[in-house]
């Protein structure tokens, strides 16, 4: 079978080797990655009925055997390599007796200087872009031949080897992307912290001076001046709330401190923070105690966002009623937060988890509440689901995976 080998430059081929981390050839051979390669080489040798098989990677000046059957994996100079002669052919090469082939009869692997190869079969390992990395090679110390079926099997195994190399490449790329994402999240949290700190000072001053002037007896209660001052104060409070939401969202993918947390105590702390809003709405909160593993501060932020959402999106015809419970179906646990508010239509539930999406323009908020909760769930190795409450309203199920996932542990 002929393989389309792009006639690229040697520099492009070496760049591909660098991308696959094969420029150094044989380095650390521990782990399932090399075990899988060894198994495929062993299968290739068995299928062809020969005692020896190798995966040869051809670098700029060397041949490295990254997997072997019948011999110990080693390296040699590229000029001594048999596979370096044919790995760019783009097809399987079979030589029944290397002493009879002018390409190989003077090669040190044939003459006895390094080895005594007589039978030799080699098929190239080629990337999707057409760059040959090396070969899957089987050989014997006596002349022989292999059938067309054995040749096709050898080529199939070469494709499987490339699948493993590609999987390793994608895994390494994903690891790099996770590292970059983690660093980006750290920078975002640092930036949000600095911005929050820098803006909170002026906002506090604006609120303070507005309240101070509002208290002046010389300003009539119904005057436009007092109305404007009240609007200034309200705008400053909304901006302060938005800054707090942005800071929570930026921090929601940070490193976790997982520990057992009482759900009842966590809800009680949130109720204390939101006591005026809960009282003003006439809300009733019912909680079933449960001990789950989570980061306490992030669980607090999650519960506070959910409770605030229930107050903001309450039904106009009934007082808010909120039920909070949890279950542990297996190694994970699930927090269920159900209210009787206006709910979210099924077609809008996925959008509601995106940052800065506000489904109700006449309701106060920044559109970050559910997005923050979703990121907190993901940081704990879980996910968030939206459903309809029986009788109307929104039910939020937050899954926490096992002991949680610190983002650094993903790298």
């Amino acid at each position: 079978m002929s393989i389309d080998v792009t006639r690229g430059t040697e520099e492009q081929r070496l760049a591909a080797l660098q991308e696959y981390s094969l420029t150094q050839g044989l380095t650390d051979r521990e782990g399932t990655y090399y075990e899988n390669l060894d198994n495929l080489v062993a299968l290739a040798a068995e299928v062809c009925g020969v005692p020896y098989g190798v995966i040869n990677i051809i670098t700029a000046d060397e041949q490295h055997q990254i997997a072997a059957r019948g011999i110990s994996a080693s390296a040699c100079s590229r000029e001594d390599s048999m596979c370096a002669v044919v790995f760019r052919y783009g097809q399987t090469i079979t030589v029944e007796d290397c002493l009879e082939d002018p390409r190989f009869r003077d090669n040190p692997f044939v003459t006895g200087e390094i080895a005594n190869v007589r039978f030799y079969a080699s098929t190239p390992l080629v990337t999707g872009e057409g760059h040959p990395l090396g070969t899957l090679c089987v050989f014997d110390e006596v002349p022989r031949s292999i059938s067309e079926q054995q040749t096709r099997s050898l080529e199939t195994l070469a494709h499987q080897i490339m699948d493993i190399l590609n999987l390793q490449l994608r895994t390494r790329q994903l690891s790099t992307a996770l590292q970059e994402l983690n660093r980006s999240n750290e920078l975002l949290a640092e930036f949000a912290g600095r911005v929050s700190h820098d803006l909170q000072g002026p906002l506090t001053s604006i609120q303070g001076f507005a309240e101070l002037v509002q208290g002046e007896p010389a300003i009539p209660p119904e005057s436009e001046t007092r109305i404007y001052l009240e609007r200034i104060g309200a705008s400053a409070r909304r901006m302060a709330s938005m800054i707090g939401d942005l800071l929570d969202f930026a921090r929601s993918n940070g490193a976790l401190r997982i520990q057992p947390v009482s759900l009842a105590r966590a809800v009680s702390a949130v109720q204390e923070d939101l006591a005026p809003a809960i009282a003003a709405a006439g809300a009733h909160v019912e909680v079933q105690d449960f001990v789950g593993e989570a980061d306490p501060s992030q669980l607090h932020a999650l519960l506070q966002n959910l409770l605030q959402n229930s107050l903001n999106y309450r039904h106009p015809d009934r007082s808010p009623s909120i039920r909070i419970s949890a279950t542990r179906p297996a190694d994970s646990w699930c927090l269920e937060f159900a209210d009787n508010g206006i709910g979210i239509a099924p077609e809008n539930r996925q959008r509601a988890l995106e940052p800065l999406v506000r489904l109700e323009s006449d309701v106060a908020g920044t559109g970050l509440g559910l997005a923050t909760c979703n990121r907190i769930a993901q940081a704990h190795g879980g996910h968030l689901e939206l459903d309809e409450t029986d009788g109307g309203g929104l039910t939020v199920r937050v899954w926490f995976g096992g002991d949680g996932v610190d983002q650094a542990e993903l790298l």
Side-chain angles (χ1 to χ4, degrees), residues 307-338:
L307 185 52
Q308 185 66 67
N309 269 7
S310 292
L311 299 177
N312 290 342
Y313 294 90
R314 59 184 180 270
H315 198 283
D317 299 331
R318 52 183 180 250
S319 298
S321 178
I322 299 158
R323 300 187 309 275
I324 306 171
S325 59
T327 57
R328 190 186 298 276
D331 294 333
S332 59
W333 65 281
C334 178
L335 183 152
E336 184 170 291
F337 190 104

Side-chain angles (χ1 to χ4, degrees), residues 259-268 287-292 299 303:
Q259 61 189 71
V261 183
S262 165
L263 183 59
R265 284 199 291 269
V267 172
S268 177
V287 58
Q288 170 196 338
D289 197 12
F290 179 89
V291 176
L299 180 62
L303 289 168

Side-chain angles (χ1 to χ4, degrees), residues 63-117:
Q63 169 186 279
H64 289 264
Q65 297 170 346
I66 62 172
R69 166 65 181 269
I71 60 173
S72 298
S74 61
C76 70
S77 69
R78 180 168 174 171
E79 65 180 22
D80 289 338
S81 167
M82 297 175 66
C83 288
V85 176
V86 296
F87 80 111
R88 280 185 173 275
Y89 282 12
Q91 60 186 359
T92 301
I93 301 299
T94 301
V95 181
E96 296 183 7
D97 189 345
C98 292
L99 288 176
E100 302 297 328
D101 192 302
R103 294 170 296 181
F104 302 117
R105 61 189 175 200
D106 295 325
N107 189 281
F109 278 93
V110 177
T111 62
E113 183 178 345
I114 297 177
N116 295 286
V117 176

Side-chain angles (χ1 to χ4, degrees), residues 370-386:
L370 286 176
T372 299
C373 294
N374 191 37
R375 289 184 66 175
I376 290 173
Q378 291 172 347
H380 283 77
H383 63 281
L384 185 147
E385 301 172 354
L386 302 180

Side-chain angles (χ1 to χ4, degrees), residues 34-82:
Y34 285 105
E35 290 176 5
N36 291 335
L37 294 179
D38 283 338
N39 290 338
L40 288 177
V41 171
L43 182 57
E46 291 174 7
V47 165
C48 294
V50 299
Y52 307 110
V54 291
I55 295 175
N56 288 321
I57 299 300
I58 310 299
T59 68
D61 53 8
E62 290 184 315
Q63 169 186 279
H64 289 264
Q65 297 170 346
I66 62 172
R69 166 65 181 269
I71 60 173
S72 298
S74 61
C76 70
S77 69
R78 180 168 174 171
E79 65 180 22
D80 289 338
S81 167
M82 297 175 66

